[in-house]
Amino acid sequence: MSFTLTTLKQSIQDWTQNSETTFVNELDFIIINAEERIFKVVDLDYFRKNVTGELTSGNKFLQKPTDYLASFSLSFVKDSANVFLLQKDVNYIQEFTPNPSTTGRPRFYASFDVDNFIISPTPDSSYSAELHYYYRPTSITQDANGTTWISENASDALLYACLVEAYTFMKGEADLLALYTQRYGEAINRLKVYGEGQENSDAYRDGLP
């Protein structure tokens, strides 16, 4: 089973037996909250992305992608080889390079603010860089096709997450909320088996998960 935005909204209304105008008007927000539940608890390749950019000579900052959530790795090319930077906190960076005008081959990076990384030492030259990161996929409420990987491949987790959010909004019956929370947890566990087991291993090297 898979959902489009239209069929997902209809299923939420059918399961909750609620088509009241205020509730229907909140369905996009309910769905976005449900997606956030899934994004934050399951590690799927679908949530990973690679982008290339440039470390600029004399510039200690590197701009983050607009959909950035967290880093997996940041590297740059030196003498045709990838060199990986170690992620630290900002205090470590500022202590390691107290004078930002000091340049050298980059060794560390940290999340400086919502828009930028800080690099240390400040790059002594321009380098091609590659960021492997965890990102927020486009919500089904905003996707031009009206579907997403989650709606097509983890429809049960999405539906039960939506029902938990919907019943919370409705201040619905406690026993039904508990049931949907349980079903959501079961669906998430199945998704974790896929995302953290089957998706990241092969039977030849690791055996069947």
Side-chain angles (χ1 to χ4, degrees):
M1 182 181 69
S2 63
F3 286 115
T4 65
L5 177 59
T6 299
T7 59
L8 178 59
K9 286 184 173 181
Q10 188 59 55
S11 288
I12 296 169
Q13 293 176 73
D14 292 344
W15 281 62
T16 58
Q17 297 182 329
N18 190 349
S19 57
E20 190 269 327
T21 300
T22 301
F23 177 72
V24 172
N25 289 341
E26 290 294 322
L27 284 178
D28 279 358
F29 183 68
I30 286 170
I31 292 168
I32 290 170
N33 280 351
E35 291 171 327
E36 284 292 315
R37 280 178 173 266
I38 298 171
F39 296 159
K40 298 296 176 59
V41 297
V42 183
D43 181 11
L44 296 170
D45 285 349
Y46 168 66
F47 300 150
R48 301 187 182 200
K49 185 184 285 189
N50 275 64
V51 293
T52 57
E54 185 174 354
L55 301 179
T56 306
S57 178
N59 182 6
K60 65 179 180 178
F61 295 111
L62 175 66
Q63 187 173 9
K64 296 176 182 177
T66 56
D67 57 1
Y68 171 88
L69 287 178
S71 297
F72 290 106
S73 66
L74 176 61
S75 63
F76 66 93
V77 177
K78 173 71 172 177
D79 298 329
S80 301
N82 285 327
V83 179
F84 286 86
L85 279 67
L86 297 178
Q87 188 172 19
K88 300 289 186 178
D89 61 39
V90 174
N91 291 338
Y92 182 95
I93 296 290
Q94 293 176 333
E95 183 176 357
F96 183 79
T97 315
N99 184 352
S101 63
T102 301
T103 62
R105 193 181 81 169
R107 294 178 56 189
F108 309 108
Y109 77 105
S111 181
F112 183 76
D113 57 28
V114 70
D115 295 317
N116 297 282
F117 297 113
I118 186 170
I119 309 298
S120 178
T122 301
D124 57 356
S125 181
S126 293
Y127 300 98
S128 295
E130 182 177 13
L131 175 68
H132 185 205
Y133 68 103
Y134 181 73
Y135 80 107
R136 177 178 284 105
T138 301
S139 169
I140 192 175
T141 64
Q142 300 170 332
D143 190 273
N145 297 319
T147 61
T148 61
W149 189 95
I150 291 293
S151 74
E152 293 183 332
N153 297 281
S155 56
D156 56 342
L158 179 58
L159 174 61
Y160 286 120
C162 287
L163 292 175
V164 170
E165 293 295 332
Y167 264 79
T168 301
F169 173 80
M170 293 167 55
K171 300 177 178 61
E173 299 174 13
D175 57 342
L176 275 178
L177 180 58
L179 173 63
Y180 292 146
T181 300
Q182 177 187 341
R183 293 287 179 86
Y184 165 72
E186 293 169 355
I188 284 295
N189 286 337
R190 290 192 293 270
L191 195 56
K192 281 178 172 286
V193 169
Y194 169 75
E196 298 168 14
Q198 294 169 327
E199 189 180 55
N200 295 318
S201 63
D202 66 50
Y204 178 76
R205 291 179 299 172
D206 304 320
L208 293 174

